[in-house]
């Protein structure tokens, strides 16, 4: 456990000693906020703080295939880029009925960004992306390098 987390834990424990803990333990907002201190990761998060869009990643001897679910998007609202070991997908999902009051909403709308990291260097030529009915299929050839002999000078 690092020092910052240890300090947060000690501060949390002090609240317990002074009786404030039990006064607020059943307050959902307080409990969630307190627990976030110990579960937060230093890894970058997508703009919407979730795993959107959902992705399936497949690999063969020749290529990676990435399938992303992007319901409610247009291909004009999506940007895909690739560099070194990662694929970045960003865009916007516009709300379907933006002028109406919401009773219940479970579908995501707004800006998103998702970075997918590969176990090996990716990129090069012949990368393709196909958009069909809210699903993007991206094909990235795997770069196989033959074993190279290194000459010692």
């Amino acid at each position: 456990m690092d020092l910052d987390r240890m300090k947060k834990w000690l501060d949390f424990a002090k609240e317990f000693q002074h009786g404030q803990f039990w006064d607020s333990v059943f307050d959902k907002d307080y409990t969630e906020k307190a627990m976030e201190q110990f579960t937060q990761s230093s890894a970058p998060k997508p703009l919407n703080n979730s795993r959107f869009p959902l992705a399936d990643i497949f690999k063969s001897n020749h290529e990676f295939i990435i399938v992303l679910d992007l319901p409610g998007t247009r291909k004009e609202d999506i940007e895909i880029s690739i560099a070194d070991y990662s694929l970045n997908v960003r865009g916007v999902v516009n709300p379907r009925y933006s002028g109406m009051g919401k009773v219940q909403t479970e579908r995501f709308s707004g800006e998103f960004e998702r970075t997918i990291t590969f176990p090996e260097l990716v990129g090069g030529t012949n990368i393709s992306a196909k958009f069909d009915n809210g699903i993007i299929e991206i094909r990235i050839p795997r770069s196989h390098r033959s074993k190279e002999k290194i000459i010692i000078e």
Side-chain angles (χ1 to χ4, degrees):
M1 184 178 281
D2 61 26
L3 291 176
D4 288 337
R5 286 191 177 180
M6 180 63 85
K7 184 180 180 320
K8 288 178 184 177
W9 178 250
L10 289 173
D11 291 342
F12 187 73
K14 283 180 187 174
E15 287 185 34
F16 177 81
Q17 287 177 330
H18 298 298
Q20 296 171 0
F21 177 80
W22 293 112
D23 293 339
S24 58
V25 75
F26 296 107
D27 179 8
K28 182 180 177 188
D29 293 334
Y30 175 83
T31 305
E32 286 177 0
K33 186 193 244 184
M35 293 313 291
E36 279 178 9
Q37 298 177 47
F38 305 106
T39 58
Q40 285 180 343
S41 166
S42 61
K45 294 183 172 85
L47 293 177
N48 65 344
N49 203 18
S50 72
R51 310 254 331 142
F52 184 89
L54 295 176
D56 291 335
I57 304 168
F58 305 94
K59 142 177 124 166
S60 72
N61 289 334
H62 307 290
E63 68 183 343
F64 285 102
I65 300 173
I66 301 91
V67 180
L68 301 165
D69 290 341
L70 287 163
T73 59
R74 300 177 312 152
K75 70 179 181 177
E76 296 83 18
D77 295 332
I78 303 165
E79 179 182 305
I80 302 171
S81 60
I82 191 164
D84 297 332
Y85 291 88
S86 62
L87 173 78
N88 187 272
V89 180
R90 67 180 313 158
V92 63
V93 178
N94 295 311
R96 192 141 177 112
Y97 302 101
S98 59
M100 299 180 71
K102 296 176 184 176
V103 175
Q104 177 177 330
T105 58
E106 296 177 357
R107 294 155 38 70
F108 171 77
S109 64
E111 293 183 7
F112 66 88
E113 183 172 5
R114 172 96 190 254
T115 300
I116 297 170
T117 305
F118 296 94
E120 60 192 60
L121 190 65
V122 292
T125 57
N126 297 327
I127 299 172
S128 65
K130 181 181 174 187
F131 184 82
D132 185 37
N133 291 324
I135 296 174
I136 294 181
E137 180 182 278
I138 304 166
R139 292 178 175 261
I140 305 171
R142 293 179 67 187
S143 58
H144 294 286
R145 295 183 64 174
S146 59
K147 187 175 182 179
E148 295 179 30
K149 185 175 181 178
I150 300 172
I151 299 171
I152 302 171
E153 292 183 31

